[in-house]
Amino acid sequence: MKTLLTSVLMLLAAFFAGGPTVETMTVSKSESTVTWKGRKVTGEHFGKVTISKADLQVVNNRITGGSFEMDMTSITVEDIKDANSNKRLTDHLKSDDFFSVDKFNKASMVIKDAKTNNGKDYQMTADLTIKGITQPVTFNAKAEMQGNKMVATSNILFDRTKYDIKYRSGNYFENLADRLIYDDVELEVRLVATAS
């Protein structure tokens, strides 16, 4: 009887203890970066977007979820050194031809699934929202603990036309020749997070 009572108490304790504890790690906006890259027939452009807020959910040093938000008003162009040309492209990216920043000043990504066998190499699925339109994206990521910080990196490719960004897309306009802009946009993401 005593053994049965002990077993029941142990089962109850295990039940109420629940599963592994989910830890929320806060992403440092100053140490983290999002670099965008767009390509066209005649070359490419790249720049940065500021992270306005972000966090990662972690269990036993493994990412299980998280999200980050980008301030689209902060978008920069880094490959054009001439100030006037730089401003012209930056303003164009903020216009309705591209990201409609006046109407949609935030873009975001929410991790829905994170698979890993070793705690370092991940295959992730996330919801990416741009211009108020949400589409799923799948990508590979790497994460590692560096002291008390987790550093996660990934290259995310998305089709801009799925977010109503069709300017000079070969799928929507004919005879663009060397004015064509490719549909795929790359985001190079580096998140540095510490326990809250």
Side-chain angles (χ1 to χ4, degrees), residues 27-34 49-51 54 190-193:
V27 172
S28 166
K29 292 184 283 186
S30 61
E31 295 177 88
S32 303
T33 56
V34 176
V49 183
T50 300
I51 294 172
R190 182 177 187 269
L191 303 178
V192 181

Side-chain angles (χ1 to χ4, degrees), residues 41-162:
V41 172
T42 56
E44 64 180 31
H45 293 297
F46 60 87
K48 294 198 181 302
V49 183
T50 300
I51 294 172
S52 50
K53 63 179 179 180
D55 60 53
L56 292 174
Q57 275 79 57
V58 177
V59 174
N60 296 329
N61 290 337
R62 293 187 177 211
I63 297 171
T64 58
S67 64
F68 66 92
E69 183 181 82
M70 294 165 282
D71 177 3
M72 296 306 292
T73 66
S74 72
I75 193 166
T76 63
V77 175
E78 297 199 340
D79 61 288
I80 299 176
K81 303 309 175 189
D82 176 73
N84 290 331
S85 299
N86 188 300
K87 183 179 186 308
R88 193 160 48 247
L89 178 55
T90 302
D91 289 346
H92 196 191
L93 290 173
K94 293 180 179 181
S95 77
D96 288 341
D97 280 343
F98 288 95
F99 295 104
S100 301
V101 169
D102 284 344
K103 300 171 194 166
F104 305 99
N105 59 9
K106 295 286 192 291
S108 64
M109 177 172 284
V110 179
I111 297 169
K112 308 303 283 187
D113 187 46
K115 292 184 172 68
T116 182
N117 291 322
N118 58 13
K120 293 182 180 179
D121 302 297
Y122 290 80
Q123 184 178 53
M124 294 188 175
T125 300
D127 283 345
L128 176 62
T129 302
I130 298 171
K131 294 177 70 172
I133 300 167
T134 301
Q135 296 283 347
V137 289
T138 301
F139 54 93
N140 295 324
K142 290 187 176 294
E144 62 178 348
M145 293 300 297
Q146 296 181 3
N148 67 335
K149 296 181 178 181
M150 174 172 280
V151 179
T153 57
S154 62
N155 281 51
I156 301 163
L157 209 62
F158 69 90
D159 180 344
R160 65 187 176 95
T161 64
K162 291 183 177 180

